[in-house]
Every structure is written in C-alpha cells, then in structure tokens.
Amino acid sequence: MAKGNQKRASGRPRAPSLLGRYRPIEGVVDEMVDASGAPRPAWRAFIEALDELGAERLGRRFVRADQYLRDAGVYYRVYDKAGANEREWPLAHVPLLIDEKEWVEISAGLVQRADLFEAILADVYGPNRLVEKGILPAGLIAASPEYLRPIAGVRPANGHFLHMVAFELGRGPDGRWWVLGDRTQAPSGAGFALENRVATTRALSDIYGEMHVHRLAGFFRRFRDALNGMARDSGGRVAILTPGPLNETYYEHAYIARYLGIMLLEGEDLTVSGGRLMVRTVSGLMPIGVLWRRLDAAFADPLELRPDSQIGTPGLVEAIRRGSVSAVNALGSGLIETRALLSFLPRIARELQADDLKLPNIATWWCGQETERSHVLANIDRMVVGPALSTRLAFEDDGATRLGSSLSAGERAELVARIEANGAGFVGQEAVTLSTTPVFVGGLLEPRPASLRVYLARTPEGWTVMPGGFARVGFSLDPTAIAMQRGGQAADVWVVSDRPVERETLLPQEHEGFTRTMPGSLPSRAAENLTWLGRYIERSEDTVRVLRAYHVRLAETSDQDMPLLADIRDYLEPFGIEAETAIPLGLISTLDSAVYSAGQIRDRFSPDGWLALKDLSKTIHKFADTVAPGDDATRAMTVMLRKLAGFSGLLHENMYRFTGWRFLEIGRRLERGIQIASTLSRLTRNGAPEGALDMMLEIGDSVMTHRRQYPVQAGRRTVIDLLALDPLNPRSILFQLERLKAEIGMLPSIGGEGHMSPAAKEILQLNTAIAVMEPSDMSAKVLDELAGQIGDLYNSLSRAYFG
C-alpha cells in the first residue's frame, strides 16, 4: 500500500513478517494462504499493512477494539451449571477476507436456497404435494416439534413465509463452500455483525479505509424499508418481539431496535383485540402490522401453541390467521432447520426448481430409510451421528451428537443398537473439516477453524445478501469448539473488491419521504421502566447525600452515639439503609434496581447513557469492598454524587423530549419530592437533635443559597421556606410539584381531548394547596402526609398509563 511504502522508503526498520511465522495445517484449506504458503489475492494488501504496523502496534490497536466493545456494553449470555452469566463479546480481531468474485457465487447459491425454502414452507403448510409424491416422509414432518399444526393452511398476509434467513457455511478440504446449517426460525447475530465491523474498523481504520470493503449499512436500510413498507400496507407499525433481557442475544435485539428505529416489545406489551395485534402504549392500544419475532415460534402464543409459555401473546395465531399482522419470519418456519431435512434437499430442489443446488449442504442421511440407515451403519466411523429432529448444528450440540471415530467399542455398539431400534430418530452426516483463518495470539498469527454465517433479507426487489456477516472462530484447533456458547470467537467478514465500492448509510435519499413517529407510541412497559429508572436514580442520590452528611460528622467525632447520628441511623433503618456501614447494601440494591430498569429498555438508551450507568454500578460495588466509615466514606459519597449528577445530566441534556423523557422526569420529581418531604419532617420536627437544620440544608444542597437568601442563622421556618415552599429552588418540594404539573399535563390525553386525567387533577390540587402555605403551616405531620400524597400520584399514573 502506498502509505506503507513511503514509510519503508524513509528508512524505518521493518518488523519480521507476521506471515513468515504462519504455519497452515496440513490437509486443511487456509483462508489466508494457499497450499504453497503464499497469500491469496484478497489478503495480499491486508497482510502487507499488518506487517507495516508490527505485532506491538497491532496488539495496542486490538486492545482499543476490545475497549470499545466493553464501553458499548456488548455481551452475550451463557447458560451453564452456574446459571445465566453475561460474557463480554469475544472478538477475533483479524477479519476474514473474501474476494468479491467468490462472494457473488456464494450469494447466488444462497438466494437459490432461500427461494427453495420459501417454496418448501408454502407446500408443507399448503397443498403438501412433496409428501403426497413421497419426496418428504409424512412421519418426519409430523414428528418435528417445529411443525405447527395451527398454522397449516394459513397463508401469510404478505404472501411470504421468510423475510430474514441466515446460513452457516464451511469450506471443505476441496476448497468448496458447503452449507452446514440453515437458520429460518429467528436468525440471530446480524447486530453482532455490525458491532464486529465497528470494533474491527476502530482497530484497523487506516487499512479498512484503503481497501475496497463492501459496507453493511445498505443491507439494513433496505430491510428496514421493506418492513416499513409492509407495515404501511397493513395500517400498523413495525415491532421487534424479544423474549426479554434474559435471552442469550438480548443485547442484539436492543441494538438492532435502536439502530433501525423500531419498537422493541415483549409478549406482555401486546394484546389481540378484534382480531388485530395491538401494543399497549401510554396513548392506548395501537395496531402492529409487522412483528419481527426474535423468539421461537412455539412460545409465541400460549393459547394455540405452547400453553406453558410465559413470553408469548395469547391470540397471536388468530391475528395471523386473519391476516392483520405479518410475522417475520412466519410461525412454523423453524421446520426448515430440522437436521434430517438436509438429506432430502437435493431431490426437493430438482422437484421444485428443476435444478441442482448451486451451494450444496453437508452430506446427510436420514436413518428412517433402510438404504440410508445401512449406509450410516456401514460407515459410522466416518460419520457424525445425531438427533434427526435437532435444529442445532453438529458442533453446537451439547453431547447428543457423536463423532463415530471417537467412540469406544462399547459406545459404538450402543449407538448402533439405538439406530437399529429407532432409525427415524437419527441422522448421519459427513464429518466436518473446516478451513482455517488467522487469529492474533500472543503477537503471532495462528490458524484456527472457522465457519461463516451469512444473512439474507427479503425486499420488494427480491433477496438482498449482507456483504459480510460474521465468522465463528475457534480458540483451539478443535472444530467443535467454535460455537459461541462453547467458547468460540467472532470475527468480522470483509468482502473485498478490486475497485471502489459504494459508501452506503442508513440515511434516506433526498427524494425519499419520511414520517415522524408520534409521541404516543411509547409502550406502557417502557414508560413504567423509565419512571422507575428516574425514581431509583433520585433515590440513590438522596441516600448518598444523607450518608455523606452522616459520615462527615462521624469523621469529626469519636462519639458514634451522638444524638444526631443516632437519629439518622434510626431514620434510615426502615429503608434498609445501615448508616454505620460505609456502603450499605440498601444503597447498592437501589442502584442495581436502576440498572435492571434500564436493562428492560436497552433499545431506548444511548451507548453513553448505558456506559455511565454501568460505571455507577461498577463504582458502588468496588467501594463496597474497599471503603471504610468516616472520612473514607465521605470521599466515596462525593465521587458517587459526581457520577450520579453526570448520569442525570447526560439524560436530561441529550434525551429527546419524547414521551419517554417525560416519564423519566416525572419519576425523578416524584422521588425527590417524597425524599425531601420525608427528610424535612424528620430533621425539622420538634425535638430534633442539635445540628439537624444544618444537616438538612446540606442534604438539600442549599447551604450557600440559604446564606444568600436569609441574613439570619438557619431556623426551622427559613429551612422549610427554602426547601419546601421556594418555587425557584430546584431542591424544594414546590419546585418538584411545579415540574410534575407541567410534565403530567403534557402526557397523552386519557379519556379524550379536553379531559384531565386523575393524576393531572391531583397534582393541580396538591400544587395549589402547597403554594399558598406558610412555613408555620408545615408541621412534621403535614410533611409526612405530603410525602404520602406525592407517592399516591404514582398510583394514579400507573392506573392510567401502565395498566
């Protein structure tokens, strides 16, 4: 590359070539180098650029890529004996490069395959001619848990069963690409492919910029536009249906929703009314026209599918049957993933497309047929044998799939007996020998087995192929260890051209129209979580302020039984806050609750907001193990206040003034009003300990304001006037009520235009009553009642908007 040549010409020493230490595995195709060890054409410029950087600089750049992924909060969830655990996304930093000409051939084969699957689903859930002609065994289809009888005879509203599909590819020893498995149920990973691209280009931006790598944004823009077009035709909206935050790929669901500007919903957000699928929003029920589901079909409707499902929507199948909503992909499309189906695809292709498969799948034999069963038994040592109805790839399976050559004599005999007794339950497949791709290990490039996942999306013009996808790469040379759940890595895939490529983005073209989403489209569950996020953050801040005031005084005296300190301990104890502990568990729990509420609405959080919140959580948990009471705790609380203020400021200044922002703001104001009223009642009551008023001003962050406003020493009336009745003090109760009145008044109307909601009436009455009060009117009893009345406002809001 020109830039690199200039550096070498200047006399800079050149590091040893990374390729010079690279040793391909004998008998295995390597993606980077050919059999002679020479770089393949698509890799030459890339290897040269890596050599120019050298191992040390490359290592620093890859650390930067990992840091980006941590900052963005990219994770996937692993389920093991310890339960559900979040793990950082394991990026394999060196991308897999594929020449554009080869990619054109791959794409053509995959488009043909996607069309074939569409035809198969249309037949299986329609006339069933494949079964009638004996091409597909009726028993195999009927036995599959992915065949959904309630969908039989139902034609999708948009005319298509498949809209987003993925294929797992592997290159065999002969150099050809083979299909290892198909993903038609709810393909995952497209969002991770985007994050792989962002992280990899952060590390290799100069190399990426000089090579002609096809961009990914155009693929997502065309699919988004296709979904929006389908929704307009149905008179509804587009939504992504997720199983929820505990799903292993929930991060991706939220990321894609945020990236494409699509609502992310859970089953409880939806209901079926009058045969239409509706989302519960703060403005009432609104129709959904396109539902991009990211959960398995069987869990989508507990009425007609799995009755034990807790994540589906009762009546969804009926809405689909009536044609009022399009499911992406259609319910029942997971049938295509059945492993035994691979053995019938070559004949089905000839029957339905009058052509052979351009991109063949791995050789598969279903043992439910005598000839095939005999072949598997005769060649079991060269086979991978597993469940016929499994929808997982052989290397993804958790022990149910066995490699014949690895079995002991006893294990082999047992497996043979099981096949002979129940052949229909097994398939034999050709053992996979995957090609290798380079990974960066300890400053060196080393080969590792890899598979390639490619995505196709349906548009009005036909299938569009993502120019890339992502590669799953093993940590070791074991080809069965490349699955993400088993410790694999993920690498970006660069489709490289020999000429400049179009720089596509998600932005619409100048001639394209657009619509602005109406504020009332906020789902009720999201509004509730935003409200509680505001409350938890404000509650955390108030607790930190009280604790800091406590530990400041604790550091100044050796008398822990000092009346004021004892009074604060008694005040906090009912809330689960042990003031004598430097970092109480109650405070940690409150912040954890804030993270949980935010996690329920990840699609509505910017990466900066999420990073700031996670930093808060990380800091408080770190302090819990290191901070001592007194002066140490005081400094820790000051750090926490700065970070809480930074997070609140980030949301307040950067969040669009959408309905969601209003609920977040309402939550903050509700909680601040409750906390100030409660603390005022305690520290200004008759008989309060000496120093209570000064502590109250400190907790209310109003010490300097009081000195300016009142040319006298702090007294009960001046403290109450400033912290309860001053409409200009952002810490006063009246200020909170004024803000609540404004924000509640701007919420979507309940009961029609011109009608005030119960919450709006309550806040108006409460605000008016407090505005005319004098400090002498505000006894401890009145303040306690006021705290309760402010809390009741939440109940009114909940009944109106969250039910």
Side-chain angles (χ1 to χ4, degrees):
M1 301 171 77
K3 188 175 180 181
N5 289 337
Q6 290 172 1
K7 289 181 180 178
R8 285 195 294 274
S10 67
R12 177 182 173 181
R14 181 171 181 173
S17 172
L18 294 172
L19 185 58
R21 292 172 283 189
Y22 190 79
R23 294 292 179 266
I25 301 170
E26 186 176 351
V28 176
V29 172
D30 190 87
E31 296 296 331
M32 184 172 68
V33 299
D34 59 24
S36 68
R40 299 184 188 278
W43 288 82
R44 287 172 187 156
F46 180 78
I47 294 170
E48 193 175 315
L50 292 187
D51 278 342
E52 184 63 39
L53 287 170
E56 185 177 345
R57 293 173 66 195
L58 266 181
R60 290 198 298 268
R61 288 186 173 211
F62 292 154
V63 168
R64 194 162 65 210
D66 291 336
Q67 186 62 51
Y68 161 77
L69 292 171
R70 283 192 293 271
D71 289 348
V74 184
Y75 74 92
Y76 70 107
R77 197 177 299 279
V78 172
Y79 292 91
D80 51 28
K81 294 180 181 178
N85 300 294
E86 289 184 9
R87 291 187 182 174
E88 294 180 357
W89 186 246
L91 180 68
H93 306 94
V94 180
L96 170 62
L97 275 57
I98 300 179
D99 187 88
E100 181 184 52
K101 298 182 181 64
E102 186 175 24
W103 192 258
V104 169
E105 296 178 4
I106 292 173
S107 299
L110 295 181
V111 168
Q112 180 207 32
R113 195 175 184 88
D115 284 335
L116 176 62
F117 290 162
E118 178 71 33
I120 292 173
L121 289 169
D123 178 77
V124 169
Y125 287 105
N128 259 319
R129 294 193 180 93
L130 291 172
V131 171
E132 181 183 340
K133 293 181 179 181
I135 299 173
L136 265 179
L140 178 63
I141 300 300
S144 173
E146 300 301 333
Y147 176 70
L148 305 182
R149 287 173 177 80
I151 306 300
V154 177
R155 185 70 180 170
N158 54 74
H160 297 290
F161 286 84
L162 299 175
H163 300 268
M164 169 73 81
V165 295
F167 301 97
E168 200 81 26
L169 308 181
R171 195 196 294 273
D174 61 356
R176 297 179 63 192
W177 286 100
W178 295 77
V179 178
L180 305 177
D182 309 290
R183 290 288 174 258
T184 56
Q185 171 76 268
S188 64
F192 289 125
L194 274 173
E195 287 286 35
N196 287 341
R197 176 60 55 90
V198 174
T200 302
T201 53
R202 287 279 182 102
L204 305 173
S205 57
D206 48 351
I207 301 175
Y208 180 80
E210 292 185 21
M211 297 183 69
H212 306 311
V213 181
H214 283 270
R215 269 56 175 178
L216 304 181
F219 171 85
F220 289 96
R221 188 189 73 245
R222 286 186 283 273
F223 186 52
R224 178 200 62 190
D225 294 347
L227 294 177
N228 287 332
M230 288 164 55
R232 284 193 297 270
D233 293 342
S234 68
R237 298 165 184 261
V238 182
I240 297 175
L241 178 62
T242 175
L246 292 181
N247 182 260
E248 62 189 33
T249 56
Y250 176 74
Y251 170 83
E252 186 213 357
H253 305 170
Y255 178 83
I256 285 289
R258 186 170 62 242
Y259 183 70
L260 299 182
I262 298 174
M263 279 194 295
L264 183 66
L265 305 177
E266 295 180 30
E268 66 182 278
D269 295 325
L270 297 164
T271 186
V272 176
S273 177
R276 290 217 68 174
L277 184 65
M278 314 289 281
V279 57
R280 297 181 177 93
T281 77
V282 294
S283 294
L285 299 179
M286 293 187 176
I288 296 296
V290 177
L291 191 66
W292 181 4
R293 63 177 181 86
R294 302 303 302 273
L295 52 76
D296 288 352
F299 293 91
D301 185 346
L303 279 183
E304 298 200 48
L305 300 173
R306 284 190 58 156
D308 61 337
S309 172
Q310 300 293 315
I311 55 177
T313 302
L316 176 59
V317 169
E318 179 60 23
I320 291 172
R321 192 178 286 126
R322 293 194 184 193
S324 64
V325 62
S326 295
V328 175
N329 289 325
L331 300 183
S333 57
L335 177 68
I336 295 296
E337 298 184 4
T338 305
R339 199 182 296 181
L341 187 64
L342 291 171
S343 63
F344 300 95
L345 287 183
R347 185 179 175 189
I348 294 175
R350 290 190 291 271
E351 173 69 23
L352 297 181
Q353 297 180 328
D355 199 0
D356 290 326
L357 292 171
K358 297 177 182 177
L359 201 62
N361 48 254
I362 185 173
T364 304
W365 296 267
W366 179 50
C367 297
Q369 298 168 303
E370 184 176 350
T371 302
E372 284 74 9
R373 181 169 61 253
S374 298
H375 178 78
V376 170
L377 292 175
N379 297 276
I380 198 168
D381 290 337
R382 297 189 288 113
M383 294 252 180
V384 173
V385 180
L389 300 180
S390 174
T391 58
R392 305 178 71 178
L393 303 183
F395 57 71
E396 291 179 332
D397 228 290
D398 52 1
T401 298
R402 311 296 299 275
L403 178 62
S405 61
S406 67
L407 299 176
S408 66
E411 291 171 332
R412 185 180 186 279
E414 180 187 359
L415 181 57
V416 168
R418 291 173 60 196
I419 295 173
E420 289 176 338
N422 177 30
F426 294 89
V427 291
Q429 292 184 294
E430 181 182 2
V432 176
T433 301
L434 296 172
S435 61
T436 56
T437 193
V439 297
F440 189 75
V441 181
L444 300 174
L445 291 180
E446 296 182 3
R448 292 290 186 271
S451 67
L452 171 65
R453 180 170 287 193
V454 186
Y455 299 86
L456 276 69
R458 186 183 295 281
T459 71
E461 294 74 35
W463 291 105
T464 182
V465 182
M466 181 191 291
F470 75 83
R472 299 203 285 182
V473 185
F475 276 123
S476 68
L477 294 177
D478 179 6
T480 68
I482 68 173
M484 305 308 295
Q485 286 284 333
R486 304 182 69 182
Q489 305 170 90
D492 192 14
V493 176
W494 291 6
V495 177
V496 182
S497 176
D498 57 5
R499 57 188 181 279
V501 298
E502 184 178 357
R503 294 180 178 271
E504 297 186 279
T505 71
L506 278 185
L507 298 176
Q509 304 299 314
E510 286 298 322
H511 66 277
E512 295 177 349
F514 65 90
T515 57
R516 179 178 293 165
T517 303
M518 296 303 293
S521 63
L522 179 71
S524 298
R525 182 181 55 83
E528 185 175 17
N529 277 294
L530 283 164
T531 304
W532 274 106
L533 173 62
R535 292 194 66 171
Y536 285 132
I537 289 298
E538 192 61 39
R539 188 177 299 177
S540 297
E541 180 178 339
D542 178 79
T543 302
V544 167
R545 288 186 179 280
V546 174
L547 289 172
R548 184 174 68 167
Y550 176 90
H551 284 284
V552 163
R553 286 153 181 80
L554 182 63
E556 293 172 350
T557 178
S558 59
D559 183 11
Q560 296 191 18
D561 294 326
M562 171 185 177
L564 180 57
L565 296 184
D567 194 62
I568 289 297
R569 289 197 297 271
D570 291 343
Y571 170 62
L572 292 176
E573 185 179 4
F575 304 108
I577 306 295
E578 298 176 349
E580 63 271 24
T581 303
I583 308 295
L585 290 177
L587 174 60
I588 296 173
S589 177
T590 301
L591 265 175
D592 286 345
S593 296
V595 174
Y596 175 82
S597 292
Q600 303 295 307
I601 45 175
R602 280 293 299 272
D603 58 309
R604 297 179 180 275
F605 253 82
S606 70
D608 287 339
W610 182 254
L611 177 61
L613 184 57
K614 292 293 284 186
D615 182 54
L616 265 171
S617 178
K618 181 180 178 181
T619 300
I620 195 72
H621 281 276
K622 178 182 177 182
F623 283 166
D625 298 327
T626 58
V627 172
D631 190 56
D632 201 20
T634 300
R635 288 194 295 269
M637 294 303 163
T638 300
V639 171
M640 289 302 302
L641 279 178
R642 286 202 303 267
K643 294 197 173 191
L644 282 162
F647 175 72
S648 297
L650 185 67
L651 294 185
H652 191 274
E653 293 301 320
N654 295 352
M655 196 171 176
Y656 185 74
R657 294 317 193 248
F658 208 31
T659 312
W661 180 87
R662 301 196 185 287
F663 279 101
L664 181 71
E665 181 71 357
I666 286 169
R668 291 181 61 215
R669 299 304 173 183
L670 281 172
E671 194 65 32
R672 183 174 292 185
I674 293 169
Q675 297 297 336
I676 289 293
S678 297
T679 314
L680 262 178
S681 171
R682 184 75 180 196
L683 295 181
T684 65
R685 73 189 192 281
N686 291 331
E690 182 181 355
L693 295 178
D694 289 332
M695 178 181 273
M696 185 66 238
L697 288 173
E698 187 177 326
I699 292 170
D701 198 21
S702 298
V703 174
M704 296 298 296
T705 305
H706 186 275
R707 291 174 183 169
R708 288 195 301 267
Q709 294 290 95
Y710 307 95
V712 295
Q713 187 176 357
R716 182 179 186 280
R717 287 187 304 166
T718 60
V719 170
I720 289 179
D721 185 61
L722 181 60
L723 288 174
L725 302 176
D726 191 334
L728 301 181
N729 183 4
R731 292 282 166 183
S732 77
I733 298 172
L734 186 58
F735 186 93
Q736 314 315 313
L737 298 180
E738 293 279 4
R739 293 304 307 151
L740 285 168
K741 183 178 72 171
E743 299 305 338
I744 292 174
M746 296 186 72
L747 293 179
S749 177
I750 300 295
E753 293 298 329
H755 291 269
M756 292 182 69
S757 69
K761 293 178 182 178
E762 289 176 29
I763 185 58
L764 179 60
Q765 293 170 346
L766 189 56
N767 183 71
T768 303
I770 300 304
V772 298
M773 280 190 172
E774 296 292 336
S776 58
D777 299 327
M778 306 205 78
S779 64
K781 180 181 179 182
V782 169
L783 287 165
D784 283 336
E785 291 174 348
L786 179 57
Q789 290 172 310
I790 297 173
D792 288 341
L793 283 172
Y794 174 81
N795 297 329
S796 296
L797 287 167
S798 179
R799 287 190 294 269
Y801 296 104
F802 308 153

